[in-house]
Amino acid sequence: MRTLYLECGMGAAGDMICAALFELVDDKRSFADKITSIFPDFISISFESAETCGILGTRMRVCIHGQEEHSHDTNHRPHERNEHHHEHRSLADIEEIIDSLDVSPRVKGDAKAVYTLIAEAESAVHGRSVSQVHFHELGAIDAVADVVTASMLFEQINPQRVIVSPVCVGKGYVKCAHGMLPVPAPATARLLQDIPIYAGDIESELCTPTGAALLKHFAGEFSSMPTMRVSCVGCGIGSKRFERANCVRSFLGEDGNPPESCRDSVAELRCNIDDMTGEAVSFAAQALLSGGALDVYTIPITMKKGRPAYMLCVICGRDDAEKLAHLMLKHTSTLGVRISFSERLVMERHTETRPVFGGNVRLKRAALGDIERSKLEYDDVAEFAKANDISYASAYDTLTDGLR
């Protein structure tokens, strides 16, 4: 399985993540030219050789009207920036900018999803609706460049599995538009919920909101590095200087073992029924699905004396086996339920929301090793077919072509 591992022992900022991913790209010149071509002339993006504590790597520079943006936590006052350079933009403004760029629907969808995470975090922190959230330094064009560039890099590298180490967030205070805030800043802390983090011993903002949102959107797991055959290593260097190497490292390679999320244990419940109507069996199946069954199906069988019958089969989690066995006894005429336990291997699944033809469509993806599958959500295709008075097959083909 094509696996990407990001090591965030010195936090994560948008430019550092981009630089670490850029080092994994085969044709770097072509990619850099592509990045330059999609943004207006007043935005300059470059990837330059840099070093931190004697380690060589890449630094990403974003200049707006010839000026580079810098972090401005209290431990790096020389890099403070003037807030009047930053326009206040709403989420709708950001999405309009992203939609105007000449990038794929996948990149637009990912970039807008990252900003939605940021907007939701800001909304929760400041007690206002998402539509009322206005970005300060996060909404500046340099941050849009980080998010879109990262989305393009993830599309280019196209890993099947993304794992991120526990994230070092730093400590101390950071100066932003709202004043002096503790590290991690409130919106960053909100974004990092359910992600393993630690402070470390460096007094600085190591994980920015943009970095946190990128990790939250793209990472499938947060853990230590798995056993993998590494084919390429990248080093994205930050602008701050510490006694410790300030970088995000990226490792791309093959992980031959399916992740833990692809392996689980299930219970299989079965009973034979020869004296219930089809309607009654259907009612029982719906009751079992509502009760938590993963799947319910019937198999036609022949019982003693040649009687036609059904075998009712239920797949469920091990912990639900007894509860669902009782439901089978309650809703069917059987006098007993056979229970067995099995290990299963399942494909990793997730759903992406993609913009297409002025609306959105959900794309269900599944992957395991070198096996990949994708399928449009039935309800979205059916709705598009009805709205345009076309067949389901035509709607499916039209939406699929629109996503290419």
Side-chain angles (χ1 to χ4, degrees), residues 159-189:
Q160 297 168 295
R161 185 183 182 192
V162 179
I163 308 171
V164 176
S165 71
V167 182
C168 183
V169 297
K171 59 184 180 179
Y173 288 84
V174 61
K175 181 180 179 182
C176 64
H178 300 287
M180 301 293 292
L181 298 177
V183 173
T188 306

Side-chain angles (χ1 to χ4, degrees), residues 288-289 292-297 313-316:
L288 289 161
L289 287 169
L294 300 173
D295 197 8
V296 178
Y297 58 96
C313 306
V314 175
I315 298 176
C316 64

Side-chain angles (χ1 to χ4, degrees), residues 283-306:
F283 183 87
Q286 291 302 315
L288 289 161
L289 287 169
S290 298
L294 300 173
D295 197 8
V296 178
Y297 58 96
T298 59
I299 300 173
I301 59 174
T302 301
M303 295 180 61
K304 58 186 177 182
K305 299 182 180 179

Side-chain angles (χ1 to χ4, degrees), residues 262-274:
C262 291
R263 298 188 292 266
D264 67 1
S265 250
V266 293
E268 295 183 76
L269 317 181
R270 299 185 184 91
C271 67
N272 298 346
I273 301 167
D274 65 357

Side-chain angles (χ1 to χ4, degrees), residues 258-259 262-264 343-347 368:
C262 291
R263 298 188 292 266
D264 67 1
E343 299 294 319
R344 69 172 184 168
L345 183 66
V346 295
M347 300 180 76
L368 180 63

